[in-house]
Amino acid sequence: LEDRWHEVAQTYADVNQMFGDIVKVTPSSKVVGDMALMMVSQNLTRAEVEAPDTEVSFPDSVVDMMRGNLGQPPGGFPEGIVSKVLKGDAPNLTR
């Protein structure tokens, strides 16, 4: 992906917005990066990832974050992406 760095950087910004413009500190910055790298390598756009009819295999780090295992940002993650990532399972909101 070295030759596609500009795409990775733009996709990182797209993923950040898709995840609710979260504060990026380790490990959340890594999770956003994992998702951006996956999207660029698979030629997926934000719209395709968010589309209900597009099947996406999310990185484990994304699933872990959406489950709430890294905590929750103020107001939580956007419901649409949580539902898609967790395939209808409920996130842990107690952290």
Side-chain angles (χ1 to χ4, degrees):
L1 296 175
E2 180 180 341
D3 58 331
R4 298 177 71 187
W5 184 246
H6 179 73
E7 289 175 76
V8 171
Q10 180 57 57
T11 304
Y12 187 95
D14 291 343
V15 170
N16 178 53
Q17 293 303 310
M18 183 169 53
F19 288 177
D21 194 17
I22 60 173
V23 174
K24 263 85 53 229
V25 294
T26 305
S28 59
S29 59
K30 179 199 177 295
V31 175
V32 172
D34 290 347
M35 185 68 189
L37 290 170
M38 185 276 296
M39 287 172 63
V40 172
S41 69
Q42 294 184 18
N43 297 308
L44 291 170
T45 65
R46 177 182 175 179
E48 290 169 325
V49 169
E50 292 179 313
D53 57 337
T54 302
E55 183 66 30
V56 177
S57 180
F58 291 94
D60 290 342
S61 62
V62 173
V63 175
D64 195 46
M65 186 168 77
M66 293 297 152
R67 278 190 183 133
N69 294 339
L70 304 178
Q72 293 286 330
F77 294 105
E79 188 175 319
I81 195 67
V82 171
S83 178
K84 183 155 186 179
V85 171
L86 298 183
K87 300 182 184 333
D89 289 346
N92 177 0
L93 303 176
T94 60
R95 288 189 68 169

